Amino acid sequence: MPLRYEVDGNVATITIDNPPVNVFTPELHREFYHILQDFMADRSVHVGIFTGAGTRAFCAGDDIKTVRPKRTVAETVERHLYPIDRNATPEYPGWEYEVRRLVQERFKPIIGAVNGPVMGQGMIYLLQLTDIRIASPNAIFGLPEIAFGMGGASGTTRLGRQIPHVAALWLALTGEPFDAEAALRNHMINEIVAPDKLMERARKIADRIAGHPPIAVRTEMEAYYRAQDMTREQATAVAAHLYRLQRTTMDATPPLSKTKPLKSVL
């Protein structure tokens, strides 16, 4: 299967498995959309891990060999503006747009486990879909499309929100990638770990988060992401409402978390 979705306890793992370099195709974007729907709707799953099979690439982006159908200007604009016909044959542009719309309401954490180069559309999905990231030393992060007249639109607007201004524009404008050390210096990732420890470390972090009350994790996620686009007054009000909703669903004296402290580089 080009995409694997596996649930173990309260943790789900989404693995891109499309050799040799784990590229996305229109069909994979559609499959990815439905996997994410299942992940977000399943209340027994508290945390996700997003990774790529093998070590040659986490994801090399979209498959450049996929034929792009010829369309009139009107057909192209119409396809861009309206939702995808779910019964139509997957094409470009297509389900990658639906994934972007879907993740705007994602308030369940996903850990990125980056085990090789992540480029283009893979980089966009990493920025949009992961909240904590660890990487092996061979990880490379880039948006090379600008050299071909297909700028990545700064990781579909997430790049400058997540790393320093000059680092974001370096990636976006030069097309030159960051290696793992540069990504760590610029806070694109949290840690660098040995390749054979990558999934073990990702699972340890996931288990730590999954050990907290899910509604508390949801509250933190939603307050954090919604507040980024609000005034201080609006953000404070939303945080207060979310907190109060959370507290009304829990016992007056909830049990303390039994999880052990988790070592972090932060």
Side-chain angles (χ1 to χ4, degrees), residues 148-159:
F148 307 97
M150 301 184 295
S154 297
T156 313
T157 76
R158 305 316 302 169
L159 193 60

Side-chain angles (χ1 to χ4, degrees), residues 4-15 35-51 108-113 129-130 199 202-203 206-207 210:
R4 299 200 309 267
Y5 183 64
E6 302 162 300
V7 177
D8 181 11
N10 299 125
V11 178
T13 301
I14 304 170
T15 306
I35 285 174
L36 289 170
Q37 274 193 321
D38 291 343
F39 166 73
M40 291 164 63
D42 189 345
R43 295 187 184 180
S44 70
V45 173
H46 299 172
V47 185
I49 298 172
F50 183 34
T51 192
K108 187 179 288 188
I110 299 177
I111 297 161
L129 282 165
T130 61
M199 295 307 295
R203 180 61 194 238
D207 286 339

Side-chain angles (χ1 to χ4, degrees), residues 23-248:
V23 294
F24 268 89
T25 64
E27 292 80 7
L28 258 66
H29 286 299
R30 179 175 63 180
E31 185 179 350
F32 195 40
Y33 174 88
H34 291 301
I35 285 174
L36 289 170
Q37 274 193 321
D38 291 343
F39 166 73
M40 291 164 63
D42 189 345
R43 295 187 184 180
S44 70
V45 173
H46 299 172
V47 185
I49 298 172
F50 183 34
T51 192
T55 58
R56 185 170 176 183
F58 175 95
C59 177
D62 275 318
D63 185 3
I64 61 174
K65 296 180 180 178
T66 299
V67 176
R68 271 62 171 175
K70 293 183 179 180
R71 295 190 177 92
T72 65
V73 172
E75 288 172 337
T76 300
V77 171
E78 182 177 354
R79 191 174 181 88
H80 173 73
L81 291 178
Y82 295 98
I84 298 301
D85 180 353
R86 302 194 177 199
N87 297 315
T89 301
E91 298 173 350
Y92 286 116
W95 286 88
E96 69 277 13
Y97 283 5
E98 299 303 311
V99 171
R100 293 173 197 174
R101 293 187 182 103
L102 180 67
V103 301
Q104 291 175 15
E105 292 293 321
R106 179 188 63 84
F107 302 118
K108 187 179 288 188
I110 299 177
I111 297 161
V114 185
N115 48 349
V118 51
M119 300 288 172
Q121 184 63 51
M123 178 75 160
I124 291 171
Y125 278 160
L126 187 75
L127 294 170
Q128 292 179 327
L129 282 165
T130 61
D131 312 288
I132 292 172
R133 302 179 193 120
I134 58 175
S136 59
N138 68 328
I140 300 173
F141 304 81
L143 294 166
E145 299 95 329
I146 193 168
F148 307 97
M150 301 184 295
S154 297
T156 313
T157 76
R158 305 316 302 169
L159 193 60
R161 289 289 189 92
Q162 297 183 13
I163 67 175
H165 170 75
V166 293
L169 287 178
W170 179 275
L171 280 175
L173 298 180
T174 69
E176 295 183 9
F178 281 172
D179 61 15
E181 290 291 344
L184 183 63
R185 286 196 307 271
N186 288 287
H187 305 289
M188 183 178 287
I189 59 176
N190 298 85
E191 298 176 8
I192 301 173
V193 299
D196 61 340
K197 299 294 184 182
L198 184 70
M199 295 307 295
E200 177 185 334
R201 179 58 174 160
R203 180 61 194 238
K204 185 174 183 180
I205 299 169
D207 286 339
R208 169 69 174 179
I209 297 171
H212 299 315
I215 194 169
V217 175
R218 160 70 190 242
T219 298
E220 290 297 336
M221 288 277 293
E222 185 165 1
Y224 177 83
Y225 282 113
R226 290 202 187 281
Q228 290 183 354
D229 299 311
M230 294 178 175
T231 65
R232 181 178 178 182
E233 180 182 5
Q234 292 168 336
T236 301
V238 166
H241 292 321
L242 288 170
Y243 176 79
R244 189 49 52 199
L245 286 171
Q246 170 196 221
R247 293 306 307 158
T248 59

